[in-house]
Amino acid sequence: MNLNYAFMISDIPVVLKALPVTLELTLVSLFFALVIAVLFGICILKNIPVLKQLVVVFNTFIKGIPLIVQLLFCYYALPYILRMFNGIAGYEYDPRHPSYFGFAVVAFAFNYGAYLTDVVVSSYRAVDKGQLEAAHSVGMSTFQGLFRIVIPQAVVISLPNLSNYFMWLLKATSLASVVNVFELLSTARASTAVNYAILEGYLVAAGIYWVVCIIAERGLKYLNKKMNRYQKQLFVA
């Protein structure tokens, strides 16, 4: 097998131009996934009638459907939903310029939000309830006890799982190519259209993903250590 190494070298900067899109898609999707997870987690932890049952059913439904199916569903269904709001409160939907990036964010956010709900719930429950009672005993309100003692510990506990989901989401963004989002994989595939060096293009994309994942993994490990050290210093003080 003879690889076109000259093409691979020249293709690296071409594919790298799509890296900001991949990172933006990952971070934006993760942010909204966390928002969804926190809201869903509150419904479960507070045992809110009806809402808790709806959240459990919805999360089970989302987890049972492949992510690529959810991406395609958002790609085809969201334009119909957006058309329903056309003209309301000044909103104008332009079918000629659909937001493919936005459709992908919705799919990723709800998919990962369902899984991160379990992380939010388990991390909160992992903190000893006696600590909130101790906060009350020294005159803190429930709000102060949660945000000064319980939630910081829950965040530290959740970091390893959050790091894993970040890494999985980063790699899962390659599926966004099926809904016309030009991230790393779709850009690598498009770059091979002239000379049909398809394998070389995929190897370039794989190499970039690998390097980015190594950097992200080391950065997240460093963050984990810093947060654990900060928590120990906080409670010693």
Side-chain angles (χ1 to χ4, degrees):
M1 181 176 63
N2 295 318
L3 294 175
N4 189 342
Y5 295 105
F7 169 77
M8 292 175 67
I9 294 171
S10 65
D11 197 41
I12 291 174
V14 175
V15 180
L16 274 175
K17 289 180 180 178
L19 181 59
V21 177
T22 294
L23 295 177
E24 183 183 5
L25 181 58
T26 302
L27 294 173
V28 173
S29 298
L30 183 63
F31 171 77
F32 285 108
L34 285 171
V35 171
I36 292 169
V38 169
L39 293 176
F40 284 3
I42 290 172
C43 293
I44 294 173
L45 291 168
K46 292 294 183 181
N47 202 19
I48 302 174
V50 181
L51 284 180
K52 178 183 177 181
Q53 287 73 23
L54 287 174
V55 165
V56 171
V57 170
F58 180 80
N59 281 1
T60 303
F61 177 75
I62 290 293
K63 292 175 184 177
I65 300 176
L67 177 55
I68 193 168
V69 175
Q70 295 175 42
L71 280 163
L72 291 170
F73 176 82
C74 290
Y75 178 75
Y76 288 107
L78 285 180
Y80 288 100
I81 296 173
L82 292 173
R83 282 195 202 105
M84 295 170 58
F85 295 93
N86 191 36
I88 298 177
Y91 172 74
E92 294 293 335
Y93 174 68
D94 186 359
R96 295 170 300 179
H97 301 94
S99 177
Y100 300 125
F101 185 91
F103 298 160
V105 167
V106 171
F108 285 126
F110 277 101
N111 182 272
Y112 278 81
Y115 290 99
L116 289 176
T117 299
D118 297 335
V119 176
V120 170
V121 172
S122 61
S123 299
Y124 179 84
R125 287 175 174 168
V127 180
D128 189 356
K129 293 181 180 179
Q131 297 198 39
L132 189 57
E133 295 172 1
H136 290 153
S137 68
V138 295
M140 286 188 183
S141 64
T142 300
F143 181 85
Q144 289 174 321
L146 285 172
F147 280 88
R148 292 186 180 182
I149 298 175
V150 177
I151 291 179
Q153 291 184 73
V155 169
V156 173
I157 292 169
S158 69
L159 270 179
N161 282 324
L162 288 177
S163 299
N164 288 334
Y165 279 111
F166 173 82
M167 299 296 293
W168 293 334
L169 178 56
L170 175 62
K171 290 176 281 189
T173 55
S174 60
L175 293 174
S177 60
V178 303
V179 292
N180 293 334
V181 177
F182 273 82
E183 38 65 63
L184 276 174
L185 183 62
S186 55
T187 301
R189 184 166 57 235
S191 69
T192 65
V194 177
N195 57 8
Y196 300 102
I198 298 172
L199 178 59
E200 288 86 342
Y202 286 145
L203 286 173
V204 169
I208 293 173
Y209 273 116
W210 180 58
V211 172
V212 171
C213 285
I214 288 175
I215 295 171
E217 186 177 10
R218 291 188 177 181
L220 290 168
K221 282 183 178 179
Y222 176 77
L223 178 63
N224 265 306
K225 289 181 181 179
K226 291 288 287 185
M227 290 295 290
N228 280 312
R229 197 173 302 159
Y230 169 76
Q231 186 186 33
K232 289 177 182 178
Q233 290 175 350
L234 183 67
F235 282 93
V236 169

